[in-house]
Amino acid sequence: MKTVQLAENIYWVGAIDWLTRDFHGYSTNRGTTYNAFLIIDEKVTLIDTVKKPYFKDLMYHISSIIDPKKIDYLVVNHVEMDHSGSIPEVVEAINPEKIICSKMGQKALVQHFHQEDWPYHIISSNEEISLGKKTLQFLETRMLHWPDSMFTYVKEDQILFTSDAFGEHLATSERFDDEVNQDVLMHEATKYYANILTLYSPLIKKLLASVQEMDLPIKMLAPDHGVVWRTNPGKIIEAYTHWCNNQGNGKAIIVYDTMWKSTRLMAEKVAEGLQEEGVSYKLIDLQVNHRSDVMTDVLESSAVILGCPTLNNGMLPRMAGFLMYMRGLRPTNKIGASFGSYGWSGEAVKLMNESLKEMKFTMCHKGLKVQYVPQENHLEECVELGRTVAKSMADHMAGKEVESVI
Ligand code: FEO
């Protein structure tokens, strides 16, 4: 991979990871990138580094532009190991005059690498540092998605380096938004938001408002994963505005697991009820869908209907695991309902309902459970559950108050 120029004297020098398929439990089927950027000025500056195994790629890219020892400043926008894992080697190789980070960044760097005497230079929001011709301005973005996270803005070039925000896990030979397939790009950006950022939606809302208030002209958004948004940064900002407001797309998803196919039968009938009312739906069997793909559908849906039989007084482990994952990410502002078959105790529906209520979903149905194998009348109740969800969705989307029935 060659380095790529973003603007005069600003280069991408990161690494492409074609191999990774799991990012702490998130399936990264298209790999990822660890973006780092080099600014050539009176003070040569490296913005972010790469995951430890890619240190040599970073050095190779930097060396094709300048002797790495000439780097004066290292900016650390975020300390998570995919961006900072190689920092000890980088510090040894370049011996920087300053490591520029937030206060929380310094704390996290010490806690990760146990080096109290590195040349930390702590900045806070709106502070500026001149590199000579170019000026860096900083914006702390605490808890987006770590306490140390911050953005770095190059005023003269109007490039905002956004760490994890506006990124996607996508390994490509191309570096810019206009060079890749738009459907793939937006799918991966959606998946990234769903699995990394959903929990922080209220903070993202505030961040977007404060960036707007600062009135920063933005020519490019340069995240640490995926492509640099040079042609259409407004596209990803618009998508984030949509996602952080928890606006669904008017579709329903039925997420289920099944033991002896009774719950699958029920799921198919719930789908019939949705279809009768003109609602577009997706049937998602957890046996063949990865939780992080399901979360992508959750983010964009307006209703989530869960189906699971009872096993040992609880849910099947795949549903229990999925709900633990989903609860952690806290999607909200959706219609919810549950169903499932059981043998003799039947707790699964109650447990799924509790999870949905905890996420403040509007529960439009008390829950439907059927002993062993559903008969015709049970299947009709499933169709009716689908109709009920569809009607609640219509009311919800029309701005009418929909009350939870449990
Ligand atoms: Fe890409 Fe939070 O690290």
mmCIF file of all heavy atoms in Angstrom, residues 287-335:
data_model
loop_
_atom_site.group_PDB
_atom_site.id
_atom_site.type_symbol
_atom_site.label_atom_id
_atom_site.label_comp_id
_atom_site.label_asym_id
_atom_site.label_seq_id
_atom_site.Cartn_x
_atom_site.Cartn_y
_atom_site.Cartn_z
ATOM 1 N N GLN A 287 -29.630 -18.611 14.929
ATOM 2 C CA GLN A 287 -28.734 -19.734 14.636
ATOM 3 C C GLN A 287 -27.842 -19.455 13.424
ATOM 4 O O GLN A 287 -26.789 -20.052 13.282
ATOM 5 C CB GLN A 287 -29.541 -21.021 14.399
ATOM 6 C CG GLN A 287 -30.246 -21.490 15.652
ATOM 7 C CD GLN A 287 -31.058 -22.759 15.438
ATOM 8 O OE1 GLN A 287 -30.809 -23.519 14.504
ATOM 9 N NE2 GLN A 287 -32.023 -22.990 16.301
ATOM 10 N N VAL A 288 -28.285 -18.551 12.560
ATOM 11 C CA VAL A 288 -27.511 -18.306 11.334
ATOM 12 C C VAL A 288 -27.151 -16.827 11.138
ATOM 13 O O VAL A 288 -26.633 -16.454 10.090
ATOM 14 C CB VAL A 288 -28.254 -18.832 10.073
ATOM 15 C CG1 VAL A 288 -28.360 -20.335 10.092
ATOM 16 C CG2 VAL A 288 -29.641 -18.201 9.951
ATOM 17 N N ASN A 289 -27.422 -16.009 12.129
ATOM 18 C CA ASN A 289 -27.095 -14.575 12.007
ATOM 19 C C ASN A 289 -26.219 -14.148 13.183
ATOM 20 O O ASN A 289 -26.548 -14.428 14.345
ATOM 21 C CB ASN A 289 -28.373 -13.730 12.001
ATOM 22 C CG ASN A 289 -29.147 -13.880 10.701
ATOM 23 O OD1 ASN A 289 -28.819 -13.259 9.692
ATOM 24 N ND2 ASN A 289 -30.157 -14.737 10.706
ATOM 25 N N HIS A 290 -25.148 -13.443 12.888
ATOM 26 C CA HIS A 290 -24.250 -12.986 13.950
ATOM 27 C C HIS A 290 -24.882 -11.824 14.700
ATOM 28 O O HIS A 290 -25.519 -10.959 14.093
ATOM 29 C CB HIS A 290 -22.903 -12.558 13.344
ATOM 30 C CG HIS A 290 -21.845 -12.355 14.373
ATOM 31 N ND1 HIS A 290 -21.685 -11.153 15.029
ATOM 32 C CD2 HIS A 290 -20.912 -13.197 14.868
ATOM 33 C CE1 HIS A 290 -20.671 -11.261 15.880
ATOM 34 N NE2 HIS A 290 -20.190 -12.503 15.801
ATOM 35 N N ARG A 291 -24.664 -11.792 16.024
ATOM 36 C CA ARG A 291 -25.305 -10.745 16.846
ATOM 37 C C ARG A 291 -25.005 -9.330 16.325
ATOM 38 O O ARG A 291 -25.855 -8.437 16.414
ATOM 39 C CB ARG A 291 -24.876 -10.859 18.314
ATOM 40 C CG ARG A 291 -23.406 -10.684 18.518
ATOM 41 C CD ARG A 291 -22.959 -10.797 19.967
ATOM 42 N NE ARG A 291 -21.531 -10.995 19.974
ATOM 43 C CZ ARG A 291 -20.937 -12.178 19.968
ATOM 44 N NH1 ARG A 291 -21.653 -13.278 20.002
ATOM 45 N NH2 ARG A 291 -19.631 -12.271 19.919
ATOM 46 N N SER A 292 -23.811 -9.117 15.766
ATOM 47 C CA SER A 292 -23.493 -7.740 15.345
ATOM 48 C C SER A 292 -24.228 -7.375 14.053
ATOM 49 O O SER A 292 -24.509 -6.197 13.815
ATOM 50 C CB SER A 292 -21.978 -7.544 15.196
ATOM 51 O OG SER A 292 -21.411 -8.526 14.372
ATOM 52 N N ASP A 293 -24.555 -8.371 13.226
ATOM 53 C CA ASP A 293 -25.407 -8.077 12.063
ATOM 54 C C ASP A 293 -26.841 -7.820 12.522
ATOM 55 O O ASP A 293 -27.531 -6.958 11.973
ATOM 56 C CB ASP A 293 -25.376 -9.251 11.070
ATOM 57 C CG ASP A 293 -24.006 -9.368 10.402
ATOM 58 O OD1 ASP A 293 -23.447 -8.316 10.025
ATOM 59 O OD2 ASP A 293 -23.485 -10.483 10.281
ATOM 60 N N VAL A 294 -27.272 -8.573 13.534
ATOM 61 C CA VAL A 294 -28.632 -8.361 14.047
ATOM 62 C C VAL A 294 -28.743 -6.953 14.637
ATOM 63 O O VAL A 294 -29.733 -6.249 14.427
ATOM 64 C CB VAL A 294 -29.000 -9.429 15.105
ATOM 65 C CG1 VAL A 294 -30.444 -9.235 15.557
ATOM 66 C CG2 VAL A 294 -28.809 -10.839 14.561
ATOM 67 N N MET A 295 -27.699 -6.514 15.352
ATOM 68 C CA MET A 295 -27.717 -5.159 15.929
ATOM 69 C C MET A 295 -27.844 -4.090 14.850
ATOM 70 O O MET A 295 -28.460 -3.051 15.053
ATOM 71 C CB MET A 295 -26.443 -4.894 16.741
ATOM 72 C CG MET A 295 -26.554 -5.125 18.226
ATOM 73 S SD MET A 295 -28.037 -4.487 19.042
ATOM 74 C CE MET A 295 -27.888 -2.718 18.771
ATOM 75 N N THR A 296 -27.250 -4.356 13.691
ATOM 76 C CA THR A 296 -27.350 -3.407 12.578
ATOM 77 C C THR A 296 -28.811 -3.267 12.165
ATOM 78 O O THR A 296 -29.300 -2.158 11.923
ATOM 79 C CB THR A 296 -26.488 -3.894 11.396
ATOM 80 O OG1 THR A 296 -25.208 -4.243 11.904
ATOM 81 C CG2 THR A 296 -26.340 -2.831 10.326
ATOM 82 N N ASP A 297 -29.517 -4.400 12.124
ATOM 83 C CA ASP A 297 -30.949 -4.343 11.794
ATOM 84 C C ASP A 297 -31.741 -3.688 12.914
ATOM 85 O O ASP A 297 -32.711 -2.963 12.646
ATOM 86 C CB ASP A 297 -31.483 -5.759 11.535
ATOM 87 C CG ASP A 297 -31.023 -6.290 10.186
ATOM 88 O OD1 ASP A 297 -31.094 -5.530 9.202
ATOM 89 O OD2 ASP A 297 -30.582 -7.447 10.114
ATOM 90 N N VAL A 298 -31.349 -3.939 14.159
ATOM 91 C CA VAL A 298 -32.059 -3.320 15.286
ATOM 92 C C VAL A 298 -31.982 -1.800 15.175
ATOM 93 O O VAL A 298 -32.980 -1.098 15.332
ATOM 94 C CB VAL A 298 -31.461 -3.785 16.641
ATOM 95 C CG1 VAL A 298 -31.991 -2.924 17.792
ATOM 96 C CG2 VAL A 298 -31.772 -5.259 16.899
ATOM 97 N N LEU A 299 -30.777 -1.282 14.891
ATOM 98 C CA LEU A 299 -30.590 0.173 14.829
ATOM 99 C C LEU A 299 -31.580 0.823 13.874
ATOM 100 O O LEU A 299 -32.155 1.863 14.167
ATOM 101 C CB LEU A 299 -29.150 0.499 14.387
ATOM 102 C CG LEU A 299 -28.847 1.983 14.164
ATOM 103 C CD1 LEU A 299 -28.834 2.737 15.491
ATOM 104 C CD2 LEU A 299 -27.508 2.178 13.453
ATOM 105 N N GLU A 300 -31.805 0.178 12.735
ATOM 106 C CA GLU A 300 -32.621 0.811 11.702
ATOM 107 C C GLU A 300 -34.108 0.461 11.781
ATOM 108 O O GLU A 300 -34.908 1.055 11.070
ATOM 109 C CB GLU A 300 -32.072 0.432 10.329
ATOM 110 C CG GLU A 300 -30.637 0.928 10.139
ATOM 111 C CD GLU A 300 -30.476 1.758 8.895
ATOM 112 O OE1 GLU A 300 -30.330 1.157 7.831
ATOM 113 O OE2 GLU A 300 -30.498 2.988 9.006
ATOM 114 N N SER A 301 -34.450 -0.505 12.641
ATOM 115 C CA SER A 301 -35.852 -0.941 12.668
ATOM 116 C C SER A 301 -36.715 -0.015 13.525
ATOM 117 O O SER A 301 -36.206 0.748 14.346
ATOM 118 C CB SER A 301 -35.929 -2.359 13.235
ATOM 119 O OG SER A 301 -35.541 -2.318 14.593
ATOM 120 N N SER A 302 -38.030 -0.134 13.335
ATOM 121 C CA SER A 302 -38.971 0.600 14.193
ATOM 122 C C SER A 302 -39.629 -0.322 15.212
ATOM 123 O O SER A 302 -40.225 0.146 16.173
ATOM 124 C CB SER A 302 -40.049 1.260 13.342
ATOM 125 O OG SER A 302 -39.460 2.203 12.480
ATOM 126 N N ALA A 303 -39.562 -1.633 14.971
ATOM 127 C CA ALA A 303 -40.121 -2.591 15.937
ATOM 128 C C ALA A 303 -39.216 -3.815 16.022
ATOM 129 O O ALA A 303 -38.709 -4.282 15.002
ATOM 130 C CB ALA A 303 -41.521 -3.012 15.516
ATOM 131 N N VAL A 304 -39.043 -4.301 17.238
ATOM 132 C CA VAL A 304 -38.249 -5.518 17.449
ATOM 133 C C VAL A 304 -39.153 -6.528 18.161
ATOM 134 O O VAL A 304 -39.638 -6.274 19.264
ATOM 135 C CB VAL A 304 -36.993 -5.235 18.312
ATOM 136 C CG1 VAL A 304 -36.228 -6.532 18.584
ATOM 137 C CG2 VAL A 304 -36.079 -4.216 17.629
ATOM 138 N N ILE A 305 -39.376 -7.665 17.492
ATOM 139 C CA ILE A 305 -40.221 -8.726 18.061
ATOM 140 C C ILE A 305 -39.303 -9.912 18.332
ATOM 141 O O ILE A 305 -38.576 -10.356 17.438
ATOM 142 C CB ILE A 305 -41.346 -9.119 17.077
ATOM 143 C CG1 ILE A 305 -42.077 -7.866 16.586
ATOM 144 C CG2 ILE A 305 -42.318 -10.088 17.731
ATOM 145 C CD1 ILE A 305 -42.956 -8.121 15.362
ATOM 146 N N LEU A 306 -39.323 -10.388 19.571
ATOM 147 C CA LEU A 306 -38.400 -11.468 19.951
ATOM 148 C C LEU A 306 -39.157 -12.774 20.118
ATOM 149 O O LEU A 306 -40.266 -12.794 20.679
ATOM 150 C CB LEU A 306 -37.719 -11.127 21.281
ATOM 151 C CG LEU A 306 -36.888 -9.844 21.333
ATOM 152 C CD1 LEU A 306 -36.363 -9.615 22.760
ATOM 153 C CD2 LEU A 306 -35.717 -9.919 20.356
ATOM 154 N N GLY A 307 -38.547 -13.873 19.664
ATOM 155 C CA GLY A 307 -39.146 -15.192 19.843
ATOM 156 C C GLY A 307 -38.130 -16.171 20.394
ATOM 157 O O GLY A 307 -37.009 -16.259 19.870
ATOM 158 N N CYS A 308 -38.524 -16.892 21.459
ATOM 159 C CA CYS A 308 -37.593 -17.880 22.019
ATOM 160 C C CYS A 308 -38.353 -18.885 22.882
ATOM 161 O O CYS A 308 -39.221 -18.488 23.663
ATOM 162 C CB CYS A 308 -36.540 -17.167 22.870
ATOM 163 S SG CYS A 308 -35.244 -18.265 23.477
ATOM 164 N N PRO A 309 -38.050 -20.161 22.760
ATOM 165 C CA PRO A 309 -38.635 -21.137 23.679
ATOM 166 C C PRO A 309 -37.942 -21.083 25.038
ATOM 167 O O PRO A 309 -36.911 -20.432 25.187
ATOM 168 C CB PRO A 309 -38.356 -22.478 22.980
ATOM 169 C CG PRO A 309 -37.170 -22.236 22.131
ATOM 170 C CD PRO A 309 -37.185 -20.776 21.754
ATOM 171 N N THR A 310 -38.529 -21.788 25.981
ATOM 172 C CA THR A 310 -37.946 -21.827 27.340
ATOM 173 C C THR A 310 -37.028 -23.046 27.476
ATOM 174 O O THR A 310 -37.380 -24.144 27.049
ATOM 175 C CB THR A 310 -39.078 -21.892 28.386
ATOM 176 O OG1 THR A 310 -39.836 -20.685 28.289
ATOM 177 C CG2 THR A 310 -38.533 -22.042 29.801
ATOM 178 N N LEU A 311 -35.882 -22.806 28.051
ATOM 179 C CA LEU A 311 -34.947 -23.899 28.348
ATOM 180 C C LEU A 311 -34.467 -23.723 29.786
ATOM 181 O O LEU A 311 -33.959 -22.649 30.142
ATOM 182 C CB LEU A 311 -33.738 -23.843 27.395
ATOM 183 C CG LEU A 311 -32.620 -24.835 27.687
ATOM 184 C CD1 LEU A 311 -33.024 -26.252 27.298
ATOM 185 C CD2 LEU A 311 -31.337 -24.448 26.943
ATOM 186 N N ASN A 312 -34.652 -24.732 30.584
ATOM 187 C CA ASN A 312 -34.177 -24.694 31.984
ATOM 188 C C ASN A 312 -34.605 -23.419 32.704
ATOM 189 O O ASN A 312 -33.797 -22.698 33.293
ATOM 190 C CB ASN A 312 -32.652 -24.820 32.041
ATOM 191 C CG ASN A 312 -32.163 -26.109 31.419
ATOM 192 O OD1 ASN A 312 -32.895 -27.108 31.415
ATOM 193 N ND2 ASN A 312 -30.947 -26.109 30.894
ATOM 194 N N ASN A 313 -35.878 -23.093 32.610
ATOM 195 C CA ASN A 313 -36.465 -21.901 33.257
ATOM 196 C C ASN A 313 -35.937 -20.573 32.708
ATOM 197 O O ASN A 313 -36.105 -19.519 33.326
ATOM 198 C CB ASN A 313 -36.267 -21.907 34.789
ATOM 199 C CG ASN A 313 -36.764 -23.180 35.427
ATOM 200 O OD1 ASN A 313 -35.976 -24.011 35.879
ATOM 201 N ND2 ASN A 313 -38.065 -23.353 35.434
ATOM 202 N N GLY A 314 -35.282 -20.623 31.592
ATOM 203 C CA GLY A 314 -34.748 -19.374 31.037
ATOM 204 C C GLY A 314 -34.902 -19.361 29.526
ATOM 205 O O GLY A 314 -35.749 -20.048 28.955
ATOM 206 N N MET A 315 -34.038 -18.570 28.880
ATOM 207 C CA MET A 315 -34.068 -18.491 27.404
ATOM 208 C C MET A 315 -33.004 -19.424 26.835
ATOM 209 O O MET A 315 -32.088 -19.830 27.541
ATOM 210 C CB MET A 315 -33.728 -17.060 26.965
ATOM 211 C CG MET A 315 -34.739 -16.039 27.369
ATOM 212 S SD MET A 315 -34.186 -14.367 26.944
ATOM 213 C CE MET A 315 -33.335 -13.869 28.405
ATOM 214 N N LEU A 316 -33.093 -19.699 25.549
ATOM 215 C CA LEU A 316 -31.991 -20.402 24.895
ATOM 216 C C LEU A 316 -30.746 -19.500 24.976
ATOM 217 O O LEU A 316 -30.854 -18.276 24.922
ATOM 218 C CB LEU A 316 -32.315 -20.690 23.424
ATOM 219 C CG LEU A 316 -33.314 -21.810 23.154
ATOM 220 C CD1 LEU A 316 -33.533 -21.963 21.640
ATOM 221 C CD2 LEU A 316 -32.870 -23.130 23.738
ATOM 222 N N PRO A 317 -29.573 -20.102 25.110
ATOM 223 C CA PRO A 317 -28.370 -19.279 25.341
ATOM 224 C C PRO A 317 -28.089 -18.256 24.252
ATOM 225 O O PRO A 317 -27.591 -17.171 24.544
ATOM 226 C CB PRO A 317 -27.227 -20.298 25.414
ATOM 227 C CG PRO A 317 -27.817 -21.636 25.311
ATOM 228 C CD PRO A 317 -29.296 -21.534 25.155
ATOM 229 N N ARG A 318 -28.431 -18.562 23.000
ATOM 230 C CA ARG A 318 -28.148 -17.569 21.937
ATOM 231 C C ARG A 318 -28.993 -16.306 22.135
ATOM 232 O O ARG A 318 -28.521 -15.201 21.943
ATOM 233 C CB ARG A 318 -28.438 -18.171 20.550
ATOM 234 C CG ARG A 318 -27.187 -18.695 19.853
ATOM 235 C CD ARG A 318 -27.521 -19.161 18.445
ATOM 236 N NE ARG A 318 -28.432 -20.288 18.505
ATOM 237 C CZ ARG A 318 -28.055 -21.558 18.404
ATOM 238 N NH1 ARG A 318 -26.799 -21.865 18.176
ATOM 239 N NH2 ARG A 318 -28.935 -22.539 18.487
ATOM 240 N N MET A 319 -30.272 -16.487 22.542
ATOM 241 C CA MET A 319 -31.116 -15.307 22.779
ATOM 242 C C MET A 319 -30.628 -14.553 24.013
ATOM 243 O O MET A 319 -30.574 -13.308 24.027
ATOM 244 C CB MET A 319 -32.585 -15.728 22.938
ATOM 245 C CG MET A 319 -33.540 -14.576 23.215
ATOM 246 S SD MET A 319 -33.530 -13.281 21.938
ATOM 247 C CE MET A 319 -34.599 -14.022 20.683
ATOM 248 N N ALA A 320 -30.274 -15.318 25.070
ATOM 249 C CA ALA A 320 -29.794 -14.656 26.294
ATOM 250 C C ALA A 320 -28.538 -13.839 25.983
ATOM 251 O O ALA A 320 -28.407 -12.692 26.424
ATOM 252 C CB ALA A 320 -29.501 -15.705 27.362
ATOM 253 N N GLY A 321 -27.625 -14.423 25.199
ATOM 254 C CA GLY A 321 -26.387 -13.715 24.845
ATOM 255 C C GLY A 321 -26.680 -12.494 23.987
ATOM 256 O O GLY A 321 -26.120 -11.422 24.198
ATOM 257 N N PHE A 322 -27.595 -12.663 23.044
ATOM 258 C CA PHE A 322 -27.927 -11.534 22.170
ATOM 259 C C PHE A 322 -28.534 -10.389 22.977
ATOM 260 O O PHE A 322 -28.192 -9.218 22.793
ATOM 261 C CB PHE A 322 -28.896 -11.961 21.057
ATOM 262 C CG PHE A 322 -29.421 -10.788 20.289
ATOM 263 C CD1 PHE A 322 -28.570 -10.051 19.473
ATOM 264 C CD2 PHE A 322 -30.736 -10.368 20.423
ATOM 265 C CE1 PHE A 322 -29.026 -8.920 18.800
ATOM 266 C CE2 PHE A 322 -31.198 -9.245 19.764
ATOM 267 C CZ PHE A 322 -30.337 -8.522 18.942
ATOM 268 N N LEU A 323 -29.426 -10.752 23.924
ATOM 269 C CA LEU A 323 -30.073 -9.685 24.704
ATOM 270 C C LEU A 323 -29.082 -8.986 25.630
ATOM 271 O O LEU A 323 -29.183 -7.779 25.854
ATOM 272 C CB LEU A 323 -31.255 -10.254 25.491
ATOM 273 C CG LEU A 323 -32.506 -10.459 24.637
ATOM 274 C CD1 LEU A 323 -33.637 -11.058 25.455
ATOM 275 C CD2 LEU A 323 -32.962 -9.142 24.024
ATOM 276 N N MET A 324 -28.120 -9.733 26.147
ATOM 277 C CA MET A 324 -27.096 -9.081 26.969
ATOM 278 C C MET A 324 -26.323 -8.064 26.107
ATOM 279 O O MET A 324 -26.057 -6.936 26.533
ATOM 280 C CB MET A 324 -26.136 -10.123 27.547
ATOM 281 C CG MET A 324 -24.978 -9.480 28.292
ATOM 282 S SD MET A 324 -23.911 -10.684 29.031
ATOM 283 C CE MET A 324 -24.720 -10.871 30.585
ATOM 284 N N TYR A 325 -26.010 -8.463 24.883
ATOM 285 C CA TYR A 325 -25.278 -7.589 23.951
ATOM 286 C C TYR A 325 -26.132 -6.368 23.591
ATOM 287 O O TYR A 325 -25.668 -5.232 23.641
ATOM 288 C CB TYR A 325 -24.947 -8.410 22.704
ATOM 289 C CG TYR A 325 -24.052 -7.725 21.698
ATOM 290 C CD1 TYR A 325 -22.716 -7.460 21.987
ATOM 291 C CD2 TYR A 325 -24.543 -7.356 20.443
ATOM 292 C CE1 TYR A 325 -21.889 -6.843 21.050
ATOM 293 C CE2 TYR A 325 -23.720 -6.745 19.511
ATOM 294 C CZ TYR A 325 -22.395 -6.492 19.821
ATOM 295 O OH TYR A 325 -21.578 -5.881 18.897
ATOM 296 N N MET A 326 -27.392 -6.616 23.266
ATOM 297 C CA MET A 326 -28.265 -5.514 22.836
ATOM 298 C C MET A 326 -28.525 -4.550 23.995
ATOM 299 O O MET A 326 -28.499 -3.334 23.813
ATOM 300 C CB MET A 326 -29.587 -6.069 22.285
ATOM 301 C CG MET A 326 -30.548 -4.981 21.863
ATOM 302 S SD MET A 326 -31.824 -5.502 20.715
ATOM 303 C CE MET A 326 -33.132 -5.997 21.742
ATOM 304 N N ARG A 327 -28.759 -5.100 25.208
ATOM 305 C CA ARG A 327 -29.018 -4.225 26.370
ATOM 306 C C ARG A 327 -27.830 -3.311 26.628
ATOM 307 O O ARG A 327 -27.970 -2.153 26.985
ATOM 308 C CB ARG A 327 -29.307 -5.049 27.618
ATOM 309 C CG ARG A 327 -30.730 -5.543 27.707
ATOM 310 C CD ARG A 327 -31.146 -5.816 29.145
ATOM 311 N NE ARG A 327 -30.159 -6.536 29.912
ATOM 312 C CZ ARG A 327 -30.130 -7.857 30.060
ATOM 313 N NH1 ARG A 327 -31.043 -8.599 29.486
ATOM 314 N NH2 ARG A 327 -29.216 -8.429 30.796
ATOM 315 N N GLY A 328 -26.617 -3.846 26.426
ATOM 316 C CA GLY A 328 -25.416 -3.036 26.618
ATOM 317 C C GLY A 328 -25.377 -1.855 25.660
ATOM 318 O O GLY A 328 -24.896 -0.776 26.007
ATOM 319 N N LEU A 329 -25.902 -2.039 24.468
ATOM 320 C CA LEU A 329 -25.863 -0.974 23.453
ATOM 321 C C LEU A 329 -27.061 -0.027 23.553
ATOM 322 O O LEU A 329 -27.046 1.056 22.966
ATOM 323 C CB LEU A 329 -25.784 -1.595 22.048
ATOM 324 C CG LEU A 329 -24.394 -2.203 21.756
ATOM 325 C CD1 LEU A 329 -24.470 -3.195 20.601
ATOM 326 C CD2 LEU A 329 -23.371 -1.119 21.444
ATOM 327 N N ARG A 330 -28.086 -0.443 24.272
ATOM 328 C CA ARG A 330 -29.248 0.400 24.582
ATOM 329 C C ARG A 330 -29.925 1.101 23.403
ATOM 330 O O ARG A 330 -30.067 2.329 23.391
ATOM 331 C CB ARG A 330 -28.875 1.451 25.625
ATOM 332 C CG ARG A 330 -28.711 0.884 26.985
ATOM 333 C CD ARG A 330 -28.861 1.886 28.096
ATOM 334 N NE ARG A 330 -28.781 1.148 29.355
ATOM 335 C CZ ARG A 330 -29.813 0.585 29.966
ATOM 336 N NH1 ARG A 330 -31.019 0.702 29.481
ATOM 337 N NH2 ARG A 330 -29.638 -0.094 31.072
ATOM 338 N N PRO A 331 -30.370 0.356 22.407
ATOM 339 C CA PRO A 331 -31.219 1.004 21.398
ATOM 340 C C PRO A 331 -32.536 1.388 22.076
ATOM 341 O O PRO A 331 -32.910 0.777 23.086
ATOM 342 C CB PRO A 331 -31.441 -0.099 20.366
ATOM 343 C CG PRO A 331 -31.289 -1.359 21.131
ATOM 344 C CD PRO A 331 -30.278 -1.083 22.210
ATOM 345 N N THR A 332 -33.198 2.387 21.563
ATOM 346 C CA THR A 332 -34.449 2.796 22.225
ATOM 347 C C THR A 332 -35.435 3.349 21.195
ATOM 348 O O THR A 332 -35.156 3.336 19.995
ATOM 349 C CB THR A 332 -34.128 3.805 23.351
ATOM 350 O OG1 THR A 332 -35.306 4.014 24.108
ATOM 351 C CG2 THR A 332 -33.603 5.135 22.825
ATOM 352 N N ASN A 333 -36.586 3.785 21.685
ATOM 353 C CA ASN A 333 -37.629 4.375 20.841
ATOM 354 C C ASN A 333 -38.169 3.399 19.796
ATOM 355 O O ASN A 333 -38.275 3.719 18.619
ATOM 356 C CB ASN A 333 -37.094 5.649 20.147
ATOM 357 C CG ASN A 333 -38.205 6.469 19.523
ATOM 358 O OD1 ASN A 333 -39.304 6.509 20.056
ATOM 359 N ND2 ASN A 333 -37.927 7.093 18.386
ATOM 360 N N LYS A 334 -38.477 2.177 20.254
ATOM 361 C CA LYS A 334 -39.001 1.167 19.331
ATOM 362 C C LYS A 334 -40.205 0.470 19.964
ATOM 363 O O LYS A 334 -40.345 0.451 21.174
ATOM 364 C CB LYS A 334 -37.918 0.128 19.025
ATOM 365 C CG LYS A 334 -36.730 0.758 18.314
ATOM 366 C CD LYS A 334 -35.682 -0.246 17.962
ATOM 367 C CE LYS A 334 -34.392 0.434 17.551
ATOM 368 N NZ LYS A 334 -34.535 1.340 16.396
ATOM 369 N N ILE A 335 -41.015 -0.115 19.097
ATOM 370 C CA ILE A 335 -42.110 -0.963 19.557
ATOM 371 C C ILE A 335 -41.538 -2.349 19.827
ATOM 372 O O ILE A 335 -40.689 -2.832 19.071
ATOM 373 C CB ILE A 335 -43.204 -1.074 18.459
ATOM 374 C CG1 ILE A 335 -43.749 0.313 18.070
ATOM 375 C CG2 ILE A 335 -44.313 -2.027 18.881
ATOM 376 C CD1 ILE A 335 -44.543 1.019 19.136
#
